[in-house]
Amino acid sequence: MKLKLTSSLFIATINVAFVAGAILLFSTPRFTFVGLLLCVLIVLLLGVDLILLIRDFFRPGTRGRAGVAALLWLPVFFLFGMIQVWEGPVFVEAAGDPPVFQIRGLAGVCGVDVFGPEQENAEWMGDEIGLLWSINHAARFPVEIEFKYGEVPSGFIQVVPAGRTTPAPLHRNTTYKLVLDRCMGGPQTVSLHDATISEYRPSPAACWGQLRVPERQNPAYVRVDCKTHEPLPMSKRAAERLKAYGENRIATY
């Protein structure tokens, strides 16, 4: 069956190829914006294909290809449904001193946290020791944002330090942990050193294990010796938190 440019099946086939291209671009968050532009083209072609589809349904000898073209709309609906719950990675880069961050990705970013080296001494999951700067956004954030460290971008609020206090400056010879709280898919962590973003590698000496708490059904997750898996000695603040967890004054440890 020879397809023409004015065939609903031809347009639907081209659209499926564009859908595959958009998914590939979204999987490489550096090119998210290009993927969104491709989505606009997909919508336009879908409108054109709808007109051709109606015409082919009512023309002799073209109903079969119109039916196949209609089935090829399914990947398009899949793409736009997937966009709403995308959990892929986001792209981040930094430059300058203090660093200017560029963040983009389909998953969106609802918060940004910058931790100092003290974070390696965390004693429980979610321990905010070493947290220098934290900003949050209440809703799903647009795909792309650019902001300087310490300057709260539009739509965000500063959580740490409280109020409008300027966070501690970053030093070029120090490695920081940058946590991107994605709106979908959970946090994404990278390292920041000398305004360069790299893969985050947790300290090999930092191991976690379960500690049974008789008063609670769920165990506490604490730092343990990486070889023996025995809990490490706790600081006073960690012991006080563990006591609060046992007394059901906090939900998690």
Side-chain angles (χ1 to χ4, degrees), residues 133-213:
W133 192 46
S134 178
I135 54 176
N136 285 344
H137 192 275
R140 184 185 176 93
F141 195 75
V143 169
E144 186 168 353
I145 180 174
E146 180 176 316
F147 59 94
K148 182 182 292 186
Y149 171 77
E151 296 182 0
V152 182
S154 176
F156 280 82
I157 58 171
Q158 181 168 298
V159 180
V160 176
R164 297 185 178 182
T165 305
T166 302
L170 303 182
H171 303 287
R172 284 189 172 272
N173 59 347
T174 302
T175 299
Y176 298 90
K177 184 168 79 170
L178 178 64
V179 180
L180 308 174
D181 298 316
R182 294 178 296 169
C183 302
M184 297 292 294
Q188 177 179 327
T189 304
V190 296
S191 289
L192 172 67
H193 182 87
D194 195 19
T196 300
I197 298 294
S198 60
E199 179 184 357
Y200 174 70
R201 298 182 182 275
S203 170
C207 295
W208 296 92
Q210 295 183 0
L211 176 65
R212 185 176 177 276
V213 181

Side-chain angles (χ1 to χ4, degrees), residues 213 215-220 240-253:
V213 181
E215 299 85 357
R216 299 299 295 267
Q217 180 178 358
N218 296 321
E240 290 176 347
R241 182 178 176 86
L242 184 63
K243 180 181 178 182
Y245 180 64
E247 295 174 351
N248 207 27
R249 289 187 281 119
I250 57 176
T252 60
Y253 187 101

Side-chain angles (χ1 to χ4, degrees), residues 30-42:
R30 179 188 290 268
F31 304 109
T32 294
F33 183 70
V34 180
L36 290 176
L37 291 178
L38 195 55
C39 284
V40 174
L41 180 58
I42 289 171

Side-chain angles (χ1 to χ4, degrees), residues 8 11 19 24 36 70 73 80 84 86 101 108-109 111 124 128-129 149 151 168 170 184 193 214-215 226 247 251:
S8 60
I11 299 299
V19 167
L24 181 61
L36 290 176
W73 283 23
F80 287 101
Q84 303 304 313
W86 185 265
F101 300 106
V109 174
W124 62 83
E128 294 185 345
I129 186 172
Y149 171 77
E151 296 182 0
L170 303 182
M184 297 292 294
H193 182 87
E215 299 85 357
C226 293
E247 295 174 351

